[in-house]
Amino acid sequence: MTAFDDLMAFQRDTQALAEIAGRLGWDQETVMPEGAAPQRAEEMAAIENVLHARRIDPRISEWLEAVEASKLTPADAAQIREIRRAQTRALKVPVDLSMAIARATSAAQRKWADARAKDDFTAFCPVLEEIVALRREEAAALANGGDLYDALLDDYEPGASGQDIQTMFDAMRSRLVKLRDAALGSAHQPEKVIGTYPAKKQMKLSAKLARTFGYDLTHGRIDKAVHPFSSGSGLDVRITTRTSDTDPFNCFYSTIHEVGHACYEQNVDRAYLLTPIGRGASMGVHESQSRIYENQLGRSRAFSAWLFDRMQRRFGHAPASDADAFYGTVNRLEKGYIRTESDEVQYNLHVMLRFDLERRLIAGQLDVADLEEAWNARFVTDFGYEVDRAANGVLQDVHWAVGLFGYFPTYSLGNVYAGCLHEALQHDRPDLDVQLAQGNATYATDWLRDKVQRHGALCAPQAVIEGATGKPVSVEPLLAYLEAKFGEIYRL
Amino acid sequence: MTAFDDLMAFQRDTQALAEIAGRLGWDQETVMPEGAAPQRAEEMAAIENVLHARRIDPRISEWLEAVEASKLTPADAAQIREIRRAQTRALKVPVDLSMAIARATSAAQRKWADARAKDDFTAFCPVLEEIVALRREEAAALANGGDLYDALLDDYEPGASGQDIQTMFDAMRSRLVKLRDAALGSAHQPEKVIGTYPAKKQMKLSAKLARTFGYDLTHGRIDKAVHPFSSGSGLDVRITTRTSDTDPFNCFYSTIHEVGHACYEQNVDRAYLLTPIGRGASMGVHESQSRIYENQLGRSRAFSAWLFDRMQRRFGHAPASDADAFYGTVNRLEKGYIRTESDEVQYNLHVMLRFDLERRLIAGQLDVADLEEAWNARFVTDFGYEVDRAANGVLQDVHWAVGLFGYFPTYSLGNVYAGCLHEALQHDRPDLDVQLAQGNATYATDWLRDKVQRHGALCAPQAVIEGATGKPVSVEPLLAYLEAKFGEIYRL
């Protein structure tokens, strides 16, 4: 056994334990008895302690020093890069601070839910103040004198910077606003969905949709959860969705979105199973998979025609007057407050608002006490109408309550990456629409598996996308796609 | 923080991690995608390694030395007793041997299933030889020159010895054989169950049965599994059952049996949550709970009358000609090969056979190569007919394949304990039958919670039973109960 082998054996156990922690999270959101929550909190803390101890285990440094870098394959070098990265981050943050963050964010989740239920940001303000203070302290420990926000962002999107994100958003904002205003102001408005849709039949069609996109149910399963998510890696990747009798798209497109995440994890090269590069390359690349499945593929004219037909057969009535109208129905823009309910055009505007606010919070330029006012003012500017209550405004997302600062922009990065990948996919597979119209979405997964998914975290996020497309990452494909698609649907 | 506090904090994390390992086992048997098995094996190995390292952590000895025994409450002294016990056992067995046993038994489970499917003991023989050899080696390490079998038995039933079990069985065998022969030879035979029973309705009635016995579904849940089991402790105790359209009792009495185990775990004093005494006192005491629920309560004339009525209402037809006949139906004796399908009278005869064989295997008096022949010969002697195939004989139970030697007698101990508890319960609660006839089985749970369940592992197994009954443990109550009950049903 070389030092590299020892190190990898150690990492493999660590990854296996991390999978277990992830499985507990799945359990908690799907099948756990409600009264088990306090015990589960102790179980989660216990395994997180084990994982933390392993991340800062002094043997890692010894092994890393003994590894002969010149003899490593590219994949092995990538493993070392990821191990070093995780260890560096873990060592920089004092244990007491890590534990204080874990405690505070764990308690904050319930307090956030309570505050949201009561529309009372003031009650939540001191909780969030503590979390921002702790995360700023952590960022300072990580940043080595550099930018605090970048230090946090780097955890979700290695190599990205707040400045890059700012530049990306600057290139998007005015075109998205223009498109949104034109669509909402158009005389032609798509139909709303017709009829009701029993939950059980929605779940059955969800399973069909998942298989249609290539999700492997021998290594996964579909359950219901309040907030849909994908969980796990390798041989056990589970997804959740939700149902509403009057809004079947909530179920179907949540399913397709999570299938994008899940296919990514299922399709990583099995040689990387339970290793540091055996998962997605970053949150942004992950989101590129979920978004291209959900939107560029799932909400395409071709695939929506297939879905129209399936829904008609399964539910015994047409969900719109015809397949053409249905394409508009699944792509309808509506005014609204909620990010997760918004369409392809407005989604990134929601993210920009959060990005600007959280960047100022972490920079110390905005106090938590002023956050609600700042949110509401910004919302009027960006969307043209007033936030009616905190649950529809500053309290709508759980992210900040659980300490996720620097996470929001990865959603938009994912959209931009999805735009680049979709352009390349269409170029490489000119018959894509023919296949999608027949419900053969696995055809797209095959291309994505080869170009993106199988590589896991072998390369840095941007390199993954550029390797797949042969071009630099740019906002242009996404914007051009949106303008063409919604220009046609809204007859602009 | 005193040494005791430090030690208990450490133990609490260990127990939380052990709960997680148990939860993975539940997941594997109920919801895990089948293709996940190889990854799950690595996850289980990783968490078992963590648990093993904690059991032999050198700090435990330091803390134990520093604890001032004179200042401990009885509960705290019991914690120390259990910690010392677990540590002593863990330290006596070399790590390499532990790992070899884990590897061998993990691989053997599938090989056993394959061999059983093919009725081929010869194919399984070398696998079992290795496991017996490894467990004998472990027993020698544990026994300090004492009896090998006792050293293994002690892990499941602290303080029990092979000689005690032998004495117990000697007192039972002839009376059980006589009762069995009389019942099977009686001119009066109870009716078989009438009709078919849709699985979904069985599961609904199972949930009702579980609540009827006091199982708390806010801290538990019921799923289906191939082999019913109970899993977890404290605030999250889950059970499984199974269904067969033509054999509803398989489902109902499996449910009631597992509810017995689960109520025990749920009802341990919450002050002991995630501590060494926060679980059942032993396998035998655990089985006493499952068996008293299933048999003395669940198969009583009073409760079966209530069940008859419920089945009639739920399934739209009577499961027997009347409630009186139904009491015979749920207590029918049949010839058969399978321990898990056998009735109250014959069950212990199945256990005796296994006990004698495994005791000789561990003593080195019987070779694995001769085991099938010995099983078959013994079966004819005990049951009067020949085993037709290995799956109905030596390959029917998974226990030996997974290294469980010394486990089988705890089933019979459980039956004997249940007999003692039932006698005391009837004495303390003269209106028990009135309550059971109204479906109020929680009435019995209330007594068992107070006398047995809430104490967890505060006392040694036998002391638990004697504390509850005020009498020494004896086979007499069980035998008297069986003779009276089956004498009446079979009109002997």
Side-chain angles (χ1 to χ4, degrees), chain B residues 354-373:
Chain B
R354 288 155 182 74
F355 167 71
D356 287 340
L357 294 176
E358 72 177 15
R359 207 167 163 218
R360 288 172 56 205
L361 282 173
I362 296 300
Q365 295 161 353
L366 174 65
D367 289 339
V368 173
D370 302 324
L371 178 62
E372 185 173 26
E373 205 185 315

Side-chain angles (χ1 to χ4, degrees), chain B residues 160-369:
Chain B
S161 75
Q163 188 49 55
D164 294 342
I165 305 285
Q166 185 68 60
T167 305
M168 174 180 90
F169 281 149
D170 288 347
M172 295 168 81
R173 190 189 312 266
S174 61
R175 285 170 69 179
L176 290 177
V177 167
K178 193 177 158 202
L179 183 58
R180 189 258 323 266
D181 292 349
L184 287 177
S186 167
H188 177 77
Q189 292 293 322
E191 291 177 16
K192 289 189 182 176
V193 69
I194 298 168
T196 59
Y197 299 84
K200 274 195 183 170
K201 285 189 181 177
Q202 287 189 37
M203 291 304 287
K204 281 197 178 165
L205 184 48
S206 276
K208 172 70 184 165
L209 283 167
R211 283 192 298 270
T212 294
F213 276 87
Y215 178 55
D216 176 1
L217 279 157
T218 64
H219 295 105
R221 53 179 289 134
I222 309 176
D223 295 271
K224 281 202 205 185
V226 178
H227 302 287
F229 63 92
S230 165
S231 152
S233 76
L235 306 185
D236 193 350
V237 189
R238 305 180 187 182
I239 66 167
T240 60
T241 186
R242 58 184 166 195
T243 57
S244 149
D245 281 2
T246 55
D247 182 6
F249 304 135
N250 197 320
C251 176
F252 300 149
Y253 286 101
S254 292
T255 300
I256 298 173
H257 180 98
E258 301 309 334
V259 160
H261 285 301
C263 282
Y264 192 4
E265 292 293 335
Q266 285 187 336
N267 289 336
V268 174
D269 191 330
R270 289 281 155 84
Y272 305 160
L273 187 73
L274 296 177
T275 73
I277 65 167
R279 307 210 51 174
S282 72
M283 293 300 154
V285 181
H286 238 299
E287 197 70 8
S288 77
Q289 302 304 291
S290 57
R291 298 294 281 187
I292 196 173
Y293 279 62
E294 178 188 352
N295 293 327
Q296 281 88 349
L297 301 171
R299 286 192 168 94
S300 64
R301 179 182 287 280
F303 190 77
S304 69
W306 179 85
L307 179 60
F308 175 79
D309 179 59
R310 283 282 152 169
M311 285 180 71
Q312 198 162 10
R313 279 203 262 162
R314 293 245 178 187
F315 296 99
H317 60 82
S321 24
D322 57 32
D324 193 59
F326 184 70
Y327 175 50
T329 302
V330 301
N331 285 292
R332 251 179 80 86
L333 263 66
E334 284 191 83
K335 287 191 174 188
Y337 304 109
I338 305 295
R339 172 184 58 84
T340 56
E341 295 170 2
S342 72
D343 49 81
E344 287 183 82
V345 178
Q346 299 186 84
Y347 190 91
N348 294 303
L349 297 171
H350 286 279
V351 175
M352 290 176 203
L353 181 156
R354 288 155 182 74
F355 167 71
D356 287 340
L357 294 176
E358 72 177 15
R359 207 167 163 218
R360 288 172 56 205
L361 282 173
I362 296 300
Q365 295 161 353
L366 174 65
D367 289 339
V368 173

